Amino acid sequence: MSDTEHEMATQSELDGPVVEPTESAVKLDGLRVGFVGKLGGVTKREAQQLIREHGGTPVDPSREEADWIVIGADELPLADPETLLTADMREAAATGSLEIISETQLWQRLGEMDGDSPAKRLYTPAMLADLLQVPLATIRQWCRRKLIVPTKTVHRLPYFDFQEVATARQLAAMLAAGASAAMIERRLAELSRYLPEVERPLAQLPIIVEGQRWLLREGELLVEPSGQRRIDFDAIEKGNLSELAEDEAAGETLKFEQLPPPHELDPLEMLDFATSLEELGRMEEAADWYRAAMAAGGPQPEVCFQLAELLYRLGDTSAARERYYMAIEMDEDFVEARANLGCVLAETGQLELAVAAFEGALAFHPDYPDVHYHMARALDDLERLEEAERHWREFLELAPESPWADEARDRLGIIET
């Protein structure tokens, strides 16, 4: 069998149907399981321990034969199997003596996608923004457009699992290459027409960033969202993505210049324009449209929250604070509004009020890791050190892989081994 056929067989294993959890978790019964690439849900040590708990034997696939090789979620989608899989591995996969699966498939087979498993660790929007070094507003924008989908929502607070983190990494790469969320959404719609059986192309398909554009990998081929296949990688024109983004931005500008008067639009249309303006960076205009939408259709807690976020980004912390208060008054268990209110109060030196806001958030959602983190910092600033330590420890218990976890360990004097 040729190397190309080996690669396609390997890719088929990775892109195959997601394995649904069975009523009873799979027992590994001595199967040798190796990991390659960066894991998304757990550390490698934790993954190896989970394999042992399910009756398997963890191995180093670069030195020992394996029955299963698991590719970490932060390595998917795989641009080139040769970067992680040796020729021997691909040969074994092609002959059926080795199975190659994704990290998600492994946890589903073992029944580890529910309950308190380390593979089920979740990220809040703020954690995800810090992890990827993108603005929090960008994470919210992706979520609104359903480019990333929360695993669960608690009192309006979305949580994302490691599979969505991997998807968000792709989005961040596309963003760095010059794409906008609207543009990505349109290209994904094209891919969905090309592959209608795939519900979420970005999460399920091997889409890669090549130069300044993104493509679907099919064996040795790269396929554009339109379905056009390309073989000659060097022939791919550079700069098209940036040019397309500029053209679309110009089109959006024209769209807003031709808007009818506000009284001819309904509140939902106003909100749509407000969101689009915000995504284009026209924040002051977006704020006016949010206000107009609420004046026309009445205030809504979610819209108040969006406006508060926007006002904060504009530097108007006093107005942002009042909008957070308004969101909470309309929906008392809107925990993210309570948390952000606490952050604004802390930033403006009102630490006691900030602590009260955080306490209010925890009363509705005691396991909100971000609030424990911000509460701990506020209590440290108030020199209430014992109380602060309790919240630092609670935060670490809830979010040991958070981008802020090292700060918590330093504060508690914990040295990782």
Side-chain angles (χ1 to χ4, degrees):
M1 187 176 286
S2 68
D3 286 344
T4 298
E5 290 171 316
H6 294 164
E7 179 178 328
M8 292 179 69
T10 300
Q11 194 67 39
S12 175
E13 290 288 341
L14 291 175
D15 300 336
V18 174
V19 178
E20 294 296 331
T22 56
E23 290 185 5
S24 58
V26 171
K27 298 298 182 184
L28 296 178
D29 294 329
L31 283 176
R32 296 162 298 178
V33 181
F35 296 88
V36 295
K38 181 174 175 55
L39 297 173
V42 297
T43 65
K44 188 160 286 189
R45 179 181 298 177
E46 289 171 331
Q48 291 170 341
Q49 180 58 36
L50 287 169
I51 294 302
R52 294 188 187 96
E53 290 174 4
H54 285 273
T57 302
V59 298
D60 180 350
S62 66
R63 300 179 182 179
E64 307 167 77
E65 290 188 0
D67 300 300
W68 289 1
I69 286 183
V70 180
I71 296 183
D74 278 2
E75 297 293 344
L76 292 176
L78 194 60
D80 185 353
E82 293 185 12
T83 61
L84 292 176
L85 305 173
T86 66
D88 288 342
M89 292 176 189
R90 299 198 305 277
E91 173 69 30
T95 60
S97 61
L98 168 67
E99 186 173 5
I100 298 174
I101 60 176
S102 70
E103 183 180 346
T104 301
Q105 289 173 310
L106 174 69
W107 303 138
Q108 287 176 324
R109 292 183 183 189
L110 299 184
E112 292 286 344
M113 293 297 284
D114 298 307
D116 298 325
S117 165
K120 196 57 179 173
R121 286 179 185 152
L122 303 176
Y123 287 77
T124 64
M127 287 182 190
L128 190 53
D130 203 69
L131 179 70
L132 300 179
Q133 293 298 292
V134 299
L136 178 57
T138 299
I139 300 296
R140 299 197 194 284
Q141 177 183 337
W142 292 345
C143 191
R144 282 198 299 268
R145 290 185 174 273
K146 295 183 170 51
L147 296 175
I148 54 175
V149 178
T151 303
K152 68 176 183 179
T153 301
V154 180
H155 301 295
R156 295 181 183 264
L157 173 68
Y159 282 91
F160 304 95
D161 65 13
F162 74 92
Q163 189 173 14
E164 292 302 311
V165 172
T167 299
R169 286 188 194 279
Q170 287 182 264
L171 288 166
M174 294 173 188
L175 191 71
S180 68
M183 176 182 164
I184 292 169
E185 189 176 27
R186 283 190 280 272
R187 296 300 165 264
L188 291 175
E190 291 177 3
L191 266 180
S192 294
R193 288 192 293 272
Y194 172 59
L195 296 167
E197 71 280 5
V198 178
E199 293 182 3
R200 297 186 59 217
L202 196 58
Q204 295 171 257
L205 296 176
I207 299 169
I208 64 172
V209 175
E210 183 74 32
Q212 289 187 318
R213 68 190 317 162
W214 53 282
L215 305 154
L216 170 66
R217 186 175 181 88
E218 279 190 353
E220 289 187 332
L221 299 176
L222 291 181
V223 183
E224 294 185 352
S226 64
Q228 180 180 352
R229 288 172 167 80
R230 293 185 177 274
I231 299 176
D232 183 2
F233 291 9
D234 293 332
I236 297 175
E237 296 178 6
K238 306 299 182 182
N240 281 3
L241 187 60
S242 297
E243 291 170 11
L244 186 54
E246 291 171 7
D247 290 344
E248 291 187 351
E252 291 293 315
T253 299
L254 183 61
K255 167 185 171 183
F256 290 112
E257 288 174 351
Q258 297 175 341
L259 270 181
H263 68 268
E264 295 182 11
L265 301 174
D266 65 37
L268 289 178
E269 289 174 319
M270 293 180 186
L271 286 176
D272 179 58
F273 286 124
T275 300
S276 297
L277 284 164
E278 184 179 351
E279 291 174 0
L280 287 171
R282 296 166 61 169
M283 294 188 290
E284 291 183 357
E285 294 171 84
D288 288 339
W289 277 98
Y290 280 127
R291 292 187 181 101
M294 287 191 285
Q300 297 292 327
E302 187 65 39
V303 181
C304 283
F305 180 81
Q306 287 178 242
L307 179 56
E309 296 277 275
L310 186 57
L311 291 168
Y312 179 81
R313 291 166 62 199
L314 285 167
D316 193 345
T317 54
S318 178
R321 180 190 62 199
E322 295 310 309
R323 287 294 176 176
Y324 285 131
Y325 273 124
M326 190 173 179
I328 295 165
E329 287 166 1
M330 288 187 287
D331 183 357
E332 66 175 6
D333 68 353
F334 199 152
V335 294
E336 200 171 7
R338 289 182 180 274
N340 288 10
L341 172 62
C343 290
V344 169
L345 292 168
E347 186 176 314
T348 55
Q350 299 171 285
L351 292 174
E352 295 288 358
L353 288 177
V355 168
F358 295 141
E359 287 174 343
L362 292 176
F364 286 95
H365 186 18
D367 294 335
Y368 190 168
D370 300 30
V371 173
H372 285 286
Y373 169 78
H374 292 298
M375 174 76 94
R377 296 187 69 184
L379 290 169
D380 271 342
D381 289 341
L382 288 168
E383 298 185 357
R384 292 160 59 177
L385 303 184
E386 289 186 9
E387 293 174 76
E389 184 171 321
R390 178 169 61 84
H391 287 283
W392 283 119
R393 293 190 182 281
E394 187 69 20
F395 166 70
L396 268 183
E397 179 70 23
L398 292 168
E401 300 299 319
S402 163
W404 311 324
D406 286 343
E407 180 184 350
R409 293 188 186 97
D410 288 344
R411 165 63 175 82
L412 296 170
I414 296 174
I415 300 175
E416 285 195 289
T417 57

